[in-house]
Each structure stands twice: as structure tokens, then as C-alpha cells.
């Protein structure tokens, strides 16, 4: 029986490195942001590679979800999801058929990083509200990016235990380069992860949050704290 892991992450996190980590397991297949085309089709947003994304993935959420529940011939099916892609019109029944997990990061770090690529992110852009919504309804393990970077082996072993899959030390490293499973948007966003061969060292530096975005960090903080209270410890 396949363990289907739906990993819900916000932007400016280590979500692609986490996908690399699970992809390094020989018993696992991965899928990269399978709801992205639906998100773009419904919102009309202009993102880099928009037309390629719309051509590469199902535009109907029902078709995307059917793929997430279809047989894959592997023990683990790791699904990398951006939480803001789960638009309100998408049905939620399928969330009961996967093992939901949550990758979180302190909002000050997220906002400081996001501000470098988008000047005015919103609370919905950060994904915390929907992460909390899914967690309240379905539960599941929570891991903090800082814990993963501080202690990859300990945190990932705890995550595997919570998901009911065996820990595999091969999750700690991977070959550099692009993968066939990477989204077609990889040329726009994945340069750093394509150079990587493992998780980056933890950086304890205080994030530089622009003053006009400090209120956004304050609004996100209680949502992050609710999830962080349940995070796995190495």
C-alpha cells in the first residue's frame, strides 16, 4: 500500500530541498506542485513560465487530484504542495486519503526573503492560514525548516516515524542537477537547489524585515505559533 504524503509548505521555505530529500529514497516517487496550473488558470496571475505550466499540468483541480490518488507503483508518493495553491473552490475530501504534513518557517524569515522577490506580499501569499485550516481538520506532523537545517538526520527521522515510513539516511544527500520530476518552472526558480547536494547549513542571522512589512509578520506570527507548538523535535 502506497503512503501518500501531502507536504504543505509556504513560499521561501526549503520545500524544493525537502522534495529532493524524499526523491533520494529509492522507494519514493515525487510530484512538484501539482495544483499550480489550476491556481494560475483560476487566478489569472502572471508567473514566470505561465503558459508552459498551463500546458504541462491539468487545469481542473479534479483532474489534478485524481492523479494524486492514482496508483504510482511505489511505497511512498511524496507530493510537494504550495499551500496557497489550495484555492477555496477545491474540494477537501481527498485530504482524508493522504497523510498531510506541514513544513513551516518563522514568518520574519519568510517575509524578509519574499520581500526580495515581491515587494508587497499578503498574508494569503504566505500560506499560514491555509496550513492551519488543514491542520485543524486533518492533523499530521509539523516540521520547522530551522530544525531541518540544524539537525537534518534527527528531524527527518522523526518525520518519517510520524508518517509511518522507514527512515532512510539517503535522504540527507542527492546528486546535483535537474530532475525529470521538477516542474517546468524550474529554470526560473531552481538554480540554487540544482547546485545543491544536501541541505544548506543553518543560518542563525536575524532576518532583515522591511519596516512596512513588520505588520504582516505580526499577523502571521500567531498562525505560525499554533503550528510550531506541534512541531516534531529531533
Amino acid at each position: 500500500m502506497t503512503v501518500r504524503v501531502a507536504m504543505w509548505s509556504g513560499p521561501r521555505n526549503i520545500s524544493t530541498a525537502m522534495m529532493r530529500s524524499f526523491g533520494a529514497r529509492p522507494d519514493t516517487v515525487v510530484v512538484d506542485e501539482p495544483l499550480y496550473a489550476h491556481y494560475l488558470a483560476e487566478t489569472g496571475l502572471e508567473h514566470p513560465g505561465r503558459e508552459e505550466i498551463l500546458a504541462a499540468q491539468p487545469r481542473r483541480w479534479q483532474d489534478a487530484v485524481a492523479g494524486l490518488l492514482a496508483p504510482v507503483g511505489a511505497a511512498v508518493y511524496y507530493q510537494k504542495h504550495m499551500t496557497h495553491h489550495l484555492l477555496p473552490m477545491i474540494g477537501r475530501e481527498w485530504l482524508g486519503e493522504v497523510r498531510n504534513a506541514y513544513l513551516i518557517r518563522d514568518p520574519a524569515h519568510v517575509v524578509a526573503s519574499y520581500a526580495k522577490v515581491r515587494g508587497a506580499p499578503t498574508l494569503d501569499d504566505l500560506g499560514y492560514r491555509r496550513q492551519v485550516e488543514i491542520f485543524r481538520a486533518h492533523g499530521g506532523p509539523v516540521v520547522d525548516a530551522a530544525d531541518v537545517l540544524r539537525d537534518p538526520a534527527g528531524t527527518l527521522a522523526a518525520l518519517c516515524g510520524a508518517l509511518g515510513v522507514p527512515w532512510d539516511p539517503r535522504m540527507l544527500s542527492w546528486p546535483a542537477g535537474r530532475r525529470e520530476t521538477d516542474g517546468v518552472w524550474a529554470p526560473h526558480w531552481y538554480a540554487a537547489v540544482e547546485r545543491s547536494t544536501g541541505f544548506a547549513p543553518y543560518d542563525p542571522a536575524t532576518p532583515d524585515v522591511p519596516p512596512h512589512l513588520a505588520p504582516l509578520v505580526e499577523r502571521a506570527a500567531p498562525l505560525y505559533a499554533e503550528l510550531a507548538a506541534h512541531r516534531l523535535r529531533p
Side-chain angles (χ1 to χ4, degrees):
M1 179 178 176
T2 298
V3 176
R4 300 173 190 274
V5 178
M7 178 62 82
W8 299 100
S9 174
R12 317 309 295 177
N13 210 327
I14 58 168
S15 59
T16 309
M18 186 68 82
M19 181 177 67
R20 282 285 189 276
S21 176
F22 272 85
R25 299 174 59 104
D27 64 350
T28 299
V29 295
V30 303
V31 64
D32 194 5
E33 301 183 28
L35 297 171
Y36 198 175
H38 173 74
Y39 174 77
L40 292 180
E42 290 295 324
T43 62
L45 292 171
E46 290 293 337
H47 281 201
R50 172 185 165 87
E51 294 307 317
E52 291 90 341
I53 297 166
L54 291 172
Q57 293 182 327
R59 300 189 187 193
R60 298 177 67 249
W61 69 262
Q62 295 92 337
D63 296 332
V65 168
L68 298 177
L69 301 180
V72 294
V76 182
Y77 186 15
Y78 182 87
Q79 304 167 7
K80 172 197 167 191
H81 289 287
M82 291 292 99
T83 311
H84 59 281
H85 290 172
L86 191 70
L87 294 171
M89 75 282 292
I90 296 176
R92 300 292 195 271
E93 296 83 2
W94 65 279
L95 296 178
E97 300 184 51
V98 299
R99 299 189 187 181
N100 296 283
Y102 313 85
L103 178 61
I104 62 173
R105 188 184 185 195
D106 184 288
H109 288 273
V110 172
V111 170
S113 179
Y114 209 145
K116 297 175 183 177
V117 296
R118 181 176 176 186
T122 68
L123 187 60
D124 283 340
D125 290 332
L126 306 184
Y128 294 107
R129 278 202 292 222
R130 201 144 294 148
Q131 280 183 315
V132 167
E133 171 193 326
I134 301 168
F135 180 80
R136 289 175 179 174
H138 298 281
V142 179
V143 289
D144 194 302
D147 293 329
V148 175
L149 298 181
R150 277 191 290 252
D151 185 356
T155 304
L156 291 174
L159 175 60
C160 289
L163 291 171
V165 300
W167 158 241
D168 189 333
R170 284 171 286 194
M171 295 176 69
L172 297 176
S173 62
W174 49 83
R178 193 166 298 173
R179 306 289 189 272
E180 290 184 2
T181 48
D182 289 348
V184 295
W185 52 90
H188 302 282
W189 301 107
Y190 287 2
V193 80
E194 286 172 8
R195 294 191 297 268
S196 73
T197 57
F199 289 101
Y202 174 67
D203 182 0
T206 301
D208 184 15
V209 178
H212 72 283
L213 292 177
L216 178 59
V217 173
E218 293 177 3
R219 292 175 64 200
L223 299 168
Y224 166 78
E226 179 174 343
L227 293 165
H230 299 275
R231 74 185 191 272
L232 298 175
R233 303 289 187 170

